[in-house]
């Protein structure tokens, strides 16, 4: 029993350790967010709804079949259907029937409704893709923010470690009488400031992890962490393209423009559906009915003319004897309907014009967004290159300051200033690096390159 308990405990601990050591890749984060995001699920429901609407449009081509049945009791003074006389009696009747109707011609409205349903289905599919792309973009941004914060924490930890070693060395120099007591106090203040910056960097990392965990809708965000990926800066081939080429490519591939085009086609089809009300409609119909009565029936006459009555025939025999059928065609020609058809056509035309304006606006927005992404990416690359140059210069400057400080040719205040400038330069390299990577991803996204390459 004790051995079993130990095994269960070790298994439980092992599972917990595995869960805590789980490191999420960018691909895993995007896939999980797409599967669990509420907005994506809502778009999936919209897609299901349009699929049902398409089934409705297909059903318009099929005949409508309705069955009916009734059983009634007549109590009191009513006409005897056998003798024709008014009598106080109770009679029962049973009737049944089937009605069939089918649209033979309905001004091409059924055909246009089906075409509209197909277009709506395409628009819903595009909308789902657009939602998935937005989620992937947000997740990628949050993921890169965590990577930046992680590297920034490392920079602050290295700085703190170095300054602690400087503090220890300064204490030795003060005891030896090489440097004054004031330098030691300045170094202690610097270490305290490093501790504050490290705490701030750690808090920023925690908040960024929390933000991504909430985006993924994870409950246990405290153990959530991403894999320590090293995303290198790369020179995208898209930057070698002319901005007009990128805009043209974006117009071919971007989902928001496809959605606007689908909505424009739907509005155009609405005009055709509304115009169908001007045309005549031809409907075919067929009905079958039968009935049964439970009253006495006349089977003959006596010599004085009094009818000879007998009980009713069996119910199914009456159903067979009383069968009736009715079928034919019905033509309806619209002549005047209070301008209803005309007004519906006008409304559909207004909706089409609005959809056209929306398409034009989406096209302008796309051109502006692509141009902005292109210029932002170029600026981010220049900022990154400048940050690297600054960091290299600050590194050399700090080495020079360190050498001067160690031989007593520089005071601790100037030395700390050189060190602070180096840390700021290193942090700026990290910030501009991930900013450049993210903006490059956005530009490639507009060019038709997906954010995440599916395996």
């Amino acid at each position: 029993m004790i051995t079993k308990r130990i095994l269960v405990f070790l298994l439980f601990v092992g599972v917990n350790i595995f869960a805590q050591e789980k490191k999420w890749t960018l691909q895993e984060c995007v896939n999980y967010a797409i599967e669990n995001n509420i907005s994506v699920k809502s778009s999936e429901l919209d897609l299901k709804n349009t699929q049902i609407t398409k089934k409705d449009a297909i059903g318009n081509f099929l005949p409508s079949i309705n069955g009916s049945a009734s059983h009634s009791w007549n109590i009191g003074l009513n006409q005897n259907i056998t003798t024709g006389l008014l009598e106080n009696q109770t009679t029962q009747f049973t009737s049944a029937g089937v009605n069939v109707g089918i649209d033979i011609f309905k001004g091409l409205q059924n055909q246009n409704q089906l075409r509209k349903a197909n277009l709506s289905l395409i628009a819903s599919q595009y909308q789902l893709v657009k939602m998935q792309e937005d989620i992937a973009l947000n997740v990628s941004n949050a993921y890169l923010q965590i990577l930046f914060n992680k590297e920034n924490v490392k920079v602050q930890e290295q700085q703190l470690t170095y300054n602690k070693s400087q503090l220890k060395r300064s204490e030795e120099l003060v005891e030896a009488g090489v440097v004054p007591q004031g330098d030691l106090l300045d170094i202690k203040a610097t270490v305290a400031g490093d501790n504050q910056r490290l705490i701030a960097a750690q808090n920023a990392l925690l908040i960024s992890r929390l933000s991504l965990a909430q985006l993924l809708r994870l409950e246990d965000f405290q153990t959530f962490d991403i894999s320590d990926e090293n995303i290198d800066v790369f020179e995208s081939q898209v930057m070698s393209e002319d901005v007009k080429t990128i805009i043209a490519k974006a117009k071919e591939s971007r989902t928001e423009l496809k959605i606007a085009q689908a909505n424009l086609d739907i509005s155009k089809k609405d005009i055709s559906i509304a115009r169908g009300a001007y045309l005549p409609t031809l409907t075919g119909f067929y009905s079958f009915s039968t009935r049964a009565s439970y009253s006495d029936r006349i089977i003959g006459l006596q010599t004085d003319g009094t009818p000879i009555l007998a009980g009713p025939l069996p119910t199914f025999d009456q159903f067979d004897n009383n069968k009736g059928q009715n079928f034919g065609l019905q033509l309806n020609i619209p002549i005047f309907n209070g301008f209803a058809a005309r007004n519906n056509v006008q409304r559909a035309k207004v909706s089409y014009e609005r959809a056209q304006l929306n398409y034009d606006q989406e096209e302008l927005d796309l051109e502006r967004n692509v141009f902005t992404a292109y210029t932002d990416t170029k600026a981010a690359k220049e900022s990154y290159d400048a940050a690297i140059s600054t960091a290299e210069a600050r590194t050399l400057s700090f080495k020079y300051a360190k050498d001067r400080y160690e031989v007593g040719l520089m005071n601790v205040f100037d030395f700390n200033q050189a060190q602070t400038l180096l840390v700021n330069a290193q942090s700026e390299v990290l910030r501009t690096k991930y900013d450049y990577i993210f903006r490059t991803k956005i530009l490639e996204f507009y060019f038709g390159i997906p954010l995440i390459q599916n395996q």
Side-chain angles (χ1 to χ4, degrees):
M1 180 62 69
I2 296 177
T3 304
K4 289 183 178 180
R5 290 180 179 178
I6 293 175
L7 290 175
V8 171
F9 174 76
L10 292 176
L11 178 62
F12 178 76
V13 172
V15 170
N16 281 339
I17 292 175
F18 174 78
Q20 293 177 0
E21 292 179 351
K22 164 69 176 175
K23 300 286 187 177
W24 292 68
T25 64
L26 179 57
Q27 180 71 59
E28 291 173 337
C29 289
V30 171
N31 291 341
Y32 189 89
I34 290 176
E35 292 176 1
N36 295 275
N37 185 267
I38 293 177
S39 298
V40 172
K41 289 182 178 294
S42 179
S43 296
E44 290 174 349
L45 293 178
D46 291 338
L47 178 59
K48 291 181 180 180
N49 193 43
T50 54
Q51 292 172 342
I52 296 173
T53 302
K54 181 179 179 179
K55 293 179 181 179
D56 289 337
I58 295 175
N60 291 334
F61 292 94
L62 303 177
S64 60
I65 304 175
N66 297 291
S68 62
S70 66
H71 185 87
S72 62
W73 288 262
N74 294 327
I75 303 174
L77 185 63
N78 53 72
Q79 187 179 30
N80 189 323
I81 63 173
T82 303
T83 63
L85 300 177
L86 292 176
E87 301 178 6
N88 284 313
Q89 60 177 346
T90 299
T91 59
Q92 298 184 58
F93 299 93
T94 299
S95 62
V98 176
N99 296 312
V100 180
I102 186 170
D103 291 328
I104 299 175
F105 180 78
K106 198 179 179 181
L108 301 178
Q109 288 183 325
N110 290 340
Q111 290 85 344
N112 289 322
Q113 286 283 4
L114 179 58
R115 296 187 183 104
K116 177 186 175 181
N118 287 327
L119 292 172
S120 298
L121 183 60
I122 293 174
S124 296
Q125 291 170 343
Y126 284 146
Q127 190 63 47
L128 177 59
V129 172
K130 175 67 167 59
M131 190 61 63
Q132 292 172 342
E133 290 173 345
D134 291 343
I135 294 299
L137 193 64
N138 293 333
V139 169
S140 299
N141 187 24
Y143 194 92
L144 291 176
Q145 185 63 41
I146 295 177
L147 289 179
F148 162 71
N149 288 329
K150 278 190 170 187
E151 292 197 23
N152 191 41
V153 168
K154 292 178 181 179
V155 170
Q156 300 301 330
E157 287 176 343
Q158 292 173 358
Q159 188 62 34
L160 178 61
T161 300
Y162 175 78
N163 282 333
K164 284 183 176 179
S165 65
Q166 286 295 109
L167 175 60
K168 184 177 181 181
R169 176 174 173 78
S170 296
E171 289 175 345
E172 295 174 352
L173 293 175
V174 168
E175 291 179 359
V178 178
V179 297
Q181 184 71 26
D183 288 0
L184 180 61
L185 297 177
D186 287 336
I187 290 292
K188 288 182 178 180
T190 300
V191 171
D194 291 339
N195 273 316
Q196 291 179 342
R197 285 186 288 271
L198 176 59
I199 293 173
Q202 290 172 341
N203 288 337
L205 175 59
L206 178 62
I207 293 174
S208 61
R209 286 168 50 191
L210 173 61
S211 298
L212 181 55
Q214 289 178 335
L215 193 59
L216 300 181
R217 298 185 65 202
L218 295 176
E219 295 181 359
D220 189 11
F221 65 90
Q222 294 181 344
T223 60
F224 170 76
D225 199 4
I226 65 173
S227 60
D228 297 327
E229 298 183 47
N230 184 20
I231 302 180
D232 296 324
V233 175
F234 59 94
E235 188 71 28
S236 176
Q237 296 296 326
V238 180
M239 289 301 298
S240 62
E241 301 286 346
D242 184 74
V243 64
K244 293 183 178 179
T245 304
I246 301 175
I247 292 175
K249 184 70 174 179
K251 289 181 179 180
E252 295 176 1
S253 60
R254 286 306 307 131
T255 308
E256 53 263 35
L257 207 58
K258 293 179 180 179
I259 294 173
Q261 181 62 55
N263 290 332
L264 183 62
D265 295 337
I266 290 172
S267 298
K268 188 175 182 180
K269 198 58 61 180
D270 283 333
I271 297 177
S272 300
I273 294 173
R275 283 175 174 167
Y278 288 135
L279 301 177
T281 60
L282 181 62
T283 306
F285 62 88
Y286 169 82
S287 65
F288 169 85
S289 63
T290 185
R291 65 186 184 280
S293 172
Y294 301 94
S295 301
D296 293 337
R297 56 193 175 89
I298 300 175
I299 60 174
L301 296 175
Q302 299 180 6
T303 56
D304 59 357
T306 304
I308 303 174
L309 303 177
L313 287 174
T315 301
F316 287 101
D317 289 344
Q318 292 189 61
F319 282 156
D320 185 59
N321 295 335
N322 296 327
K323 290 185 296 186
Q325 300 183 62
N326 180 32
F327 57 90
L329 301 173
Q330 180 178 349
L331 178 66
N332 292 322
I333 302 175
I335 298 175
F336 182 75
N337 51 23
F339 302 112
R342 179 176 177 273
N343 292 337
N344 288 335
V345 172
Q346 294 299 320
R347 272 191 289 268
K349 288 182 178 179
V350 171
S351 297
Y352 176 78
E353 293 177 3
R354 182 177 289 110
Q356 181 65 60
L357 291 175
N358 181 66
Y359 178 85
D360 295 340
Q361 186 63 53
E362 287 289 347
E363 197 172 34
L364 291 174
D365 291 343
L366 182 61
E367 291 177 0
R368 182 181 67 253
N369 292 337
V370 172
F371 187 80
T372 302
Y374 183 80
T375 54
D376 286 347
T377 304
K378 289 184 64 178
K381 180 63 168 62
E382 293 172 357
S383 297
Y384 177 64
D385 292 338
I388 291 178
S389 299
T390 301
E392 291 174 351
R394 292 298 180 192
T395 300
L396 295 176
S397 177
F398 176 72
K399 289 181 178 179
Y400 177 70
K402 179 182 177 183
D403 293 339
R404 296 190 64 192
Y405 175 74
E406 289 179 349
V407 296
L409 296 178
M410 177 179 285
N411 58 46
V412 68
F413 177 79
D414 293 336
F415 177 70
N416 288 338
Q417 285 289 93
Q419 190 176 15
T420 301
L421 291 174
L422 174 60
V423 174
N424 292 339
Q426 292 172 339
S427 298
E428 186 65 12
V429 169
L430 294 177
R431 187 193 67 79
T432 55
K433 170 188 174 181
Y434 286 103
D435 181 64
Y436 173 59
I437 291 173
F438 182 66
R439 296 189 183 279
T440 302
K441 286 291 185 180
I442 293 178
L443 187 63
E444 291 181 338
F445 183 58
Y446 281 123
F447 196 70
I449 301 175
L451 289 170
I452 302 297
Q453 299 292 341
N454 293 325
Q455 301 296 328

